[in-house]
Amino acid sequence: MKIHEYQAKEVLKTFGVPVPKGGLATTPEEAEQIAKDLGGTVVVKAQIHAGGRGKGGGVKVVKNPEEAKQAASDILGMDLITPQTGPGGQKVKFVWVEEGTDIDRELYLGIVLDRAQSRLVIMASQAGGMNIEEVAATTPEKILKEVIHPGVGLLPFQARRLAMDLGLEGDQIKQGVAFISALYKAYVATDCSLAEINPLVVSKQGDVLALDAKLNFDDNALYRHPDLLALRDTDEEDPLEVEASEFALNYIKLDGEVGCMVNGAGLAMATMDIIKHAGSSPANFLDVGGGTNVERVKNAFQILTSDKDVKAVLINIFGGIVRCDLVAEGVVAALKSMTIDVPLVIRLQGTNAEEGAKILENSGLEFTVARRLQEAAEGVVKAVKGAA
Ligand code: GDP
Ligand code: MN
């Protein structure tokens, strides 16, 4: 789960990460008032989940409350297009107005889980700011890393080494070490999957603080953090993924043309591979999980077919615990109560597979029944090509 910058800053502040003071505004007048209260130069920042807002015109440094009001009125309601949004951009509902910082240096600090090493890695770079992706691509040696042992956690010497890597000097080193330790503590305590401070700045006054903050949380750990779950902003998520999560279905949007209904993530992977192999690609996959009753299948169909990219649907279900004849009855009942206007291929395998196939074939409904996965994939790809 992603959250907004201002929310990330509020979370990080509770762990002792230094962030500028600020306030949230939904109208230009509120932005003006916050700027008045803060005094002096302020920064008006669009709050959307995507990064790269600076490049898209979503971050404005202004000198007084009147300019803050103007900047907020320019930014609020705009469809902000950044390298990380879709081509249509993302609508800005509120802006974060924070006190301006005199920047001396822009640095980068990030923490991610390195799955290959099964360890957290802290990354630091002196080349922080809006072009960090380019730095990573062209001069990766400018990004320094510390690998954290899960048994002992971040060790003081590692935090000091990172602070040195960042080119901090004198009292800044102490501030840097405290910053890195606080960010690490926040990452672990809130079950992050990513924490990124870009830029981490050294101000002209010599203070080290977070000008931007990005936190992503591990969805599987969110049940432990109701306070964080409350920060979710579903307006920033794919509407079909949100709908699926309401039905406890796992739905992932992809960019091909075959809608996939499967049970289990492994089968989803295999299904997508074989669709690719047969010459098309998945528009999405929807994992209906273990219990495949009529209601779930109906909800799944609804979500799959409201995805405009879907030109044909493949149902590929393995009956392990759940029996194929029951799945088939569920599918038939669901299809009798709704209309689907794209071709459908169904393949059920596992316990009572043959009984399942018979139920499907005798239903009188219009779809293709496949026994083998290869046959199912070829059938659905042929249907896609036929529709095109
Ligand atoms: P992003 O583009 O979505 O990553 O948004 P950021 O919050 O990182 O802001 C983009 C850029 O705006 C930063 O890299 C800074 O250069 C600049 N910026 C942000 N806050 C301030 C500030 O308080 N003072 C000044 N001078 N620049 C700022
Ligand atoms: Mn940034």
Side-chain angles (χ1 to χ4, degrees):
M1 185 185 86
K2 294 179 180 175
I3 57 172
H4 289 290
E5 171 199 5
Y6 79 92
Q7 297 169 322
K9 282 177 168 166
E10 278 162 9
V11 171
L12 290 174
K13 203 169 142 185
T14 66
F15 287 89
V17 176
V19 295
K21 272 207 246 6
L24 192 69
T26 51
T27 65
E29 291 70 32
E30 279 169 23
E32 183 183 26
Q33 186 58 48
I34 295 165
K36 248 180 220 158
D37 296 341
L38 291 170
T41 299
V42 299
V43 188
V44 180
K45 309 183 75 176
Q47 297 299 295
I48 57 168
H49 280 183
R53 295 162 301 161
K55 283 184 177 161
V59 178
K60 290 191 173 153
V61 182
V62 297
K63 285 191 212 65
N64 54 54
E66 291 72 52
E67 284 181 29
K69 185 179 174 185
Q70 185 56 49
S73 108
D74 293 345
I75 295 174
L76 284 166
M78 83 188 279
D79 291 310
L80 181 54
I81 303 170
T82 84
Q84 292 179 21
T85 64
Q90 182 65 38
K91 175 131 352 266
V92 182
K93 294 179 296 179
F94 29 76
V95 290
W96 178 242
V97 182
E98 75 179 12
E99 59 186 7
T101 304
D102 281 332
I103 301 174
D104 183 27
R105 296 172 60 220
E106 295 200 13
L107 313 171
Y108 173 92
L109 186 68
I111 308 180
V112 284
L113 171 67
D114 181 339
R115 289 173 192 277
Q117 299 192 68
S118 305
R119 287 177 189 204
L120 295 183
V121 173
I122 307 187
M123 297 177 294
S125 178
Q126 299 201 27
M130 293 198 277
N131 294 314
I132 191 69
E133 284 82 6
E134 200 185 311
V135 173
T138 57
T139 48
E141 68 279 2
K142 287 192 181 162
I143 298 176
L144 300 147
K145 294 175 184 166
E146 284 291 337
V147 178
I148 309 303
H149 189 287
V152 292
L154 172 67
L155 292 169
F157 85 89
Q158 293 181 298
R160 283 198 295 275
R161 195 152 68 188
L162 285 162
M164 299 292 198
D165 288 344
L166 287 171
L168 301 178
E169 292 164 347
D171 182 63
Q172 292 165 13
I173 296 177
K174 217 161 71 194
Q175 289 187 56
V177 167
F179 189 109
I180 294 160
S181 309
L183 185 67
Y184 173 77
K185 211 168 87 189
Y187 186 105
V188 174
T190 61
D191 290 306
C192 279
S193 53
L194 170 82
E196 192 176 61
I197 308 298
N198 185 35
L200 163 68
V201 301
V202 182
S203 72
K204 294 233 164 81
Q205 294 73 34
D207 293 325
V208 175
L209 73 167
L211 276 210
D212 192 7
K214 179 175 186 151
L215 294 182
N216 295 354
F217 302 109
D218 179 350
D219 292 348
N220 292 319
L222 278 172
Y223 74 95
R224 302 203 285 209
H225 306 286
D227 50 329
L228 298 176
L229 195 53
L231 303 178
R232 183 169 174 197
D233 182 353
T234 50
D235 289 352
E236 298 279 331
E237 299 173 16
D238 185 293
L240 290 177
E241 290 186 15
V242 173
E243 200 183 325
S245 73
E246 278 161 17
F247 298 127
L249 298 163
N250 286 313
Y251 171 86
I252 305 290
K253 176 73 190 122
L254 300 162
D255 51 16
E257 42 199 11
V258 178
C260 305
M261 191 190 302
V262 296
N263 62 340
L267 192 59
M269 297 298 149
T271 306
M272 292 192 289
D273 282 351
I274 198 142
I275 288 170
K276 285 240 174 196
H277 191 70
S280 185
S281 56
N284 55 43
F285 77 82
L286 201 147
D287 179 356
V288 291
T292 324
N293 59 36
V294 183
E295 212 43 42
R296 285 178 79 75
V297 174
K298 254 175 88 170
N299 290 332
F301 273 128
Q302 224 118 41
I303 291 164
L304 279 185
T305 52
S306 47
D307 178 347
K308 295 285 159 271
D309 296 334
V310 170
K311 299 211 176 68
V313 172
L314 171 58
I315 301 184
N316 185 22
I317 292 196
F318 179 76
I321 296 165
V322 55
R323 281 160 34 201
C324 291
D325 52 326
L326 293 181
V327 176
E329 279 167 7
V331 170
V332 168
L335 286 173
K336 279 192 171 151
S337 67
M338 62 198 298
T339 44
I340 289 178
D341 43 11
V342 293
L344 175 61
V345 177
I346 308 177
R347 181 239 182 193
L348 305 178
Q349 197 46 268
T351 311
N352 291 359
E354 204 39 49
E355 287 86 332
K358 292 257 159 59
I359 291 168
L360 293 174
E361 281 163 347
N362 297 333
S363 68
L365 293 165
E366 214 177 304
F367 47 70
T368 308
V369 179
R371 274 10 182 228
R372 301 181 52 82
L373 186 48
Q374 182 78 25
E375 182 194 340
E378 281 163 5
V380 80
V381 171
K382 209 170 109 199
V384 166
K385 304 289 181 214

